[in-house]
Amino acid sequence: MGADNNDAQMSVAKERVVLGAGCFWGVEKRFEALPGVLDAQSGYADGRGFKPTYKNIIAAKRRYDENNYAEVVRVTFNANAISLERVLQFYFEQHDPTQVNRQGNDRGTQYRSTILTYSNEQTELAQRVKAQYQALLSEAGYGKIATLIKPLDKFHMAERYHQDYLRKNPNGYCPDHSTGVVFNAKETEHQDNTPLLEGKHIVVLDSPNYCPYCEKFKQEVLASYQGTIDVHLRYASQLQGLAITSKTYATPTILFIENGQEVAAHQGYMPPELFYKALGALKLGDSEAYRVAFAKGTDSRFCKQYEVFKNTPDGVFVDKLSGAPLFDTRDRFNSGTGWLSFTQPVAGQVTRHQDNSFGMQRIEIRSKSSGIHLGHVFPNEGPGGKARYCINATVLEFLPRDEFNGRS
């Protein structure tokens, strides 16, 4: 059910239209998030000769059957809050209407672009909006719109598990086959990618429409990320000047860039543990720090980084990948072991795990934000009987107190 964000005093004038723009999961979700839409329901329409079920319409023999049903979404909206014209503009903007019986890798007559109307007035408006969009597409170098516009015969509700499918299945991606051509050009303003041509960067392909997987990635990964490699949000149409080899129809797609060239990519939602492993490969490369972080390695005693970090000024040691605070110089002490030692971590920033490797029973310490291996904790080995957190220096970065306090 979509949320109506209009004034509570506004009267509701319900109107419906049925739209097909490829796989109905993403279409339904995007319309549900459009202000003024009251409901969006997945279903089947514009077919004949057999019972419309998901199993039947995706059968191999139906793939190019002209009598096959289309995957469609019945959009119910408040005409006092959003016009049918804007609903149809949004519809054209969110897919590629020049593709015939397909959207991206989804091929078959069930994925055809179609507008099914309830009245002659709706049909006439749909034809006008289609003509307007054709002019914009032609100017951008696209071909002829293939969208079929016809009166609705009957809408058949899809099976229950298809309703709100993306909400029920939060790990994945939203197919984004939009052309990037919009009625309001400000929505896809050109982005200057010159800063991405030097150094290492992360580019996250976002959706101009609502994508729950994009929002989940932003909330669960980007919201807490404080690392030194910059993150840039882009639409697929805003990658000018970059050497990208991966397909860009899925949102989110996470691109790891070095000197303007893609070195790694992940299509779809990327959980924190996978994101930080890929980031580790980009930032750390084939190094001792990478082996410590992801293979539970151990720094050499009195290693170079330990010598740098053992006597820093007042400040905070942060996760080398996520930038999260881990240890404070106020809790550091010289244990004489050749590894950084602290009496305690920053509250809530590390996790503890049983480690029985090498015939020993130890408590492993990992970063809560990135999951990287940090070291071990030994009870009663610190000053005054406190714990000793024995930590690898190569997976840390140091920030002076003023710089740490000022970065937020």
Side-chain angles (χ1 to χ4, degrees), residues 221 223-228 276 279 283 316-328 345-350 366-372 374 395-399 404 407:
V221 180
S224 60
Y225 176 71
Q226 304 174 77
T228 57
Y276 282 111
L279 176 58
K283 183 172 182 176
V316 178
F317 292 98
V318 302
D319 184 311
K320 202 164 193 173
L321 299 181
S322 73
L326 296 174
F327 295 93
D328 196 301
V346 174
Q349 296 297 327
V350 305
R366 298 180 196 168
S367 172
K368 183 178 180 180
S369 59
S370 67
I372 63 172
L374 300 174
V395 294
L396 303 178
E397 288 179 344
F398 173 74
L399 295 178
F404 173 77
R407 69 175 182 172

Side-chain angles (χ1 to χ4, degrees), residues 21 32 34 69 88 94-95 152 156 165 196 212 220 235 253 268 282 287 296 302-303 306 322 337 343 363 374 381 388:
E32 284 185 334
L34 183 63
Y69 288 84
L88 293 173
Q94 70 163 303
H95 75 299
L152 174 69
H156 303 268
Y165 184 88
L196 280 68
E220 297 188 358
Y235 299 147
T253 289
L282 177 68
S287 64
K296 299 183 181 180
F302 300 103
C303 71
Y306 164 78
S322 73
T337 61
T343 57
I363 302 297
L374 300 174
E381 290 191 10
R388 176 171 72 91

Side-chain angles (χ1 to χ4, degrees), residues 30-134:
R30 287 169 183 150
F31 272 102
E32 284 185 334
L34 183 63
V37 169
L38 304 171
D39 198 7
Q41 299 165 306
S42 293
Y44 315 110
D46 194 32
R48 60 199 57 84
F50 63 97
K51 183 178 180 180
T53 67
Y54 191 68
K55 181 178 179 180
N56 286 342
I57 72 164
I58 66 171
K61 65 180 180 179
R62 306 281 184 199
R63 189 170 189 180
Y64 297 111
D65 181 1
E66 292 183 358
N67 293 320
N68 196 8
Y69 288 84
E71 291 190 20
V72 296
V73 172
R74 183 170 63 187
V75 179
T76 304
F77 59 98
N78 181 1
N80 288 334
I82 185 172
S83 67
L84 175 60
E85 181 179 22
R86 180 54 196 146
V87 169
L88 293 173
Q89 289 176 344
F90 181 77
Y91 160 77
F92 279 114
E93 290 170 349
Q94 70 163 303
H95 75 299
D96 184 350
T98 67
Q99 295 186 346
V100 179
N101 295 331
R102 61 174 288 207
Q103 282 296 300
N105 290 335
D106 292 333
R107 299 171 183 266
T109 49
Q110 72 268 32
Y111 300 117
R112 61 187 178 270
S113 177
T114 185
I115 299 173
L116 302 173
T117 61
Y118 284 86
S119 67
N120 290 335
E121 290 77 15
Q122 283 194 344
T123 300
E124 292 172 2
L125 178 59
Q127 294 288 7
R128 288 201 301 273
V129 175
K130 176 181 175 180
Q132 293 166 0
Y133 198 59
Q134 182 66 73

